[in-house]
Amino acid sequence: MKPLHTSILILFVWGLSVLPVQADRMEKAPKSIEKLDVIEHLDTQLPLDLKFQDSSGKPVTLGDYFKKDRPVILSLNYSNCPMLCSLQLTALVRGLKELEWSADEQYDFVSVSIDPKETYQRANLTKQKYFKEYDRAGTAGGWHFLCGRQESIDKLADAMGVQYQYVAERQEYAHPAVLLVCTPDGRVSRYLYGINFPKQTLKLALVEASEGKIGSTVDRFLLFCFHYDADSGRYAPTARNIMKIGGFATVFILTVVLIPYWRGRKGRQALETGDAQTHEVPQETRHFSTPEK
């Protein structure tokens, strides 16, 4: 439960969103949003019984999207967000398009609106926008945009560890740019920050959250070699694990390749020596034989 200071990113995006027409003037962010943060709740069980409404107007629970067989990418956004949500979701779609895996097959994406006034019709328009950008036929069932009451939104945000606040003077919500990758049974596996989601980061996060249920043997091997670096926001090589693999490879080569080779070589040398002794003429025959008369 390590707090990660994303306030700088929040303020930076806030600053961009409040730029007036005059380029030489920038309003200062309100004091009320300066302490917004993300408190990581890794391995915490999400409240799957929370009630929402999907983009078709159907009543649902959060647990409806955790199918026990694939991980879930979870995000807090809202459709009327002037900048950050669009940047974040566009970057996510761009990263997911590079994966060979597809939504509704290997993973699901769930976005919950932090605006209790958002209607399911508005959520549906947002869903159609990003599904169109994803541009992969037959995967609409993996994209979910939900809206709900303030109580459900607050309980979910608290469980996720994501702080947000409504800024009345601007009629907007201040919130950090963060995605959660969750296990199939609804536990928090990984936090991904910012508005850039490289292919390898998404892939390894999904493999990690799926607990080996998706991905090839090579993907799981790479996950052993890499660990998530919260400072850089991506997976980086783990020197210790790489050294372990190097040591294992050395032992493997010695036991499986070199030792049998050496043993085989000694065996061949012994066999050659034995053959040479067998064909050698006895010494007494050579020196004491009687010549024929």
Side-chain angles (χ1 to χ4, degrees):
M1 298 185 181
K2 176 184 177 182
L4 297 178
H5 298 289
T6 56
S7 300
I8 295 178
L9 176 60
I10 299 170
L11 295 180
F12 173 73
V13 176
W14 173 269
L16 290 177
S17 67
V18 299
L19 280 174
V21 177
Q22 296 85 355
D24 59 345
R25 178 174 177 267
M26 180 180 291
E27 296 179 13
K28 189 175 181 180
K31 293 285 186 180
S32 58
I33 72 169
E34 290 183 352
K35 295 183 179 180
L36 292 184
D37 208 345
V38 175
I39 311 299
E40 291 197 355
H41 294 169
L42 292 173
D43 204 36
T44 295
Q45 179 68 55
L46 295 172
L48 301 183
D49 59 341
L50 292 179
K51 296 180 180 180
F52 294 97
Q53 193 175 33
D54 70 8
S55 56
S56 68
K58 176 184 175 182
V60 296
T61 66
L62 185 64
D64 291 338
Y65 305 100
F66 290 84
K67 301 180 174 64
K68 309 299 181 184
D69 60 351
R70 57 181 181 247
V72 173
I73 301 173
L74 179 62
S75 178
L76 293 178
N77 303 103
Y78 72 108
S79 295
N80 291 328
C81 183
M83 180 178 291
L84 183 56
C85 295
S86 178
L87 292 174
Q88 182 186 27
L89 294 178
T90 298
L92 174 64
V93 171
R94 187 182 300 118
L96 292 176
K97 287 177 69 173
E98 295 182 8
L99 295 179
E100 63 272 24
W101 304 332
S102 296
D104 201 28
E105 293 180 7
Q106 285 78 26
Y107 62 88
D108 283 272
F109 172 70
V110 177
S111 173
V112 178
S113 175
I114 56 178
D115 182 1
K117 295 180 180 180
E118 182 166 330
T119 64
Y120 73 86
Q121 294 92 336
R122 184 70 177 90
N124 184 55
L125 291 175
T126 304
K127 173 183 176 178
Q128 298 307 318
K129 172 186 175 181
Y130 292 106
F131 177 64
K132 184 178 180 180
E133 288 186 20
Y134 187 57
D135 193 25
R136 194 172 295 187
T139 62
W143 292 84
H144 314 281
F145 286 76
L146 312 181
C147 51
R149 296 181 178 179
Q150 190 70 63
E151 181 182 4
S152 293
I153 297 169
D154 287 344
K155 286 183 178 179
L156 178 58
D158 185 61
M160 294 170 64
V162 178
Q163 300 174 358
Y164 73 96
Q165 187 165 327
Y166 181 67
V167 183
E169 57 265 34
R170 297 199 56 82
Q171 298 184 352
E172 297 172 2
Y173 287 88
H175 61 95
V178 60
L179 299 174
L180 275 67
V181 184
C182 306
T183 64
D185 62 352
R187 290 176 291 109
V188 179
S189 174
R190 182 62 57 204
Y191 289 77
L192 303 181
Y193 295 89
I195 52 175
N196 181 35
F197 306 102
K199 173 184 176 180
Q200 178 174 273
T201 295
L202 289 171
K203 189 171 188 177
L204 292 180
L206 288 170
V207 172
E208 183 180 23
S210 74
E211 299 174 337
K213 293 180 181 179
I214 66 172
S216 65
T217 302
V218 174
D219 295 326
R220 291 189 286 273
F221 175 79
L222 288 176
L223 186 60
F224 179 76
C225 295
F226 288 73
H227 77 288
Y228 185 76
D229 183 353
D231 293 331
S232 64
R234 62 187 63 195
Y235 287 80
T238 304
R240 179 180 298 178
N241 286 349
I242 292 176
M243 290 175 65
K244 286 181 180 178
I245 293 172
F248 173 80
T250 301
V251 173
F252 177 83
I253 293 173
L254 285 173
T255 56
V256 178
V257 181
L258 295 181
I259 292 178
Y261 170 75
W262 289 333
R263 288 179 177 175
R265 185 175 181 182
K266 288 182 179 180
R268 288 192 299 272
Q269 290 177 345
L271 183 60
E272 291 172 359
T273 302
D275 290 343
Q277 291 176 351
T278 301
H279 292 90
E280 192 177 82
V281 179
Q283 195 174 36
E284 60 273 13
T285 304
R286 292 200 309 268
H287 298 289
F288 298 101
S289 59
T290 304
E292 296 182 358
K293 294 182 180 181

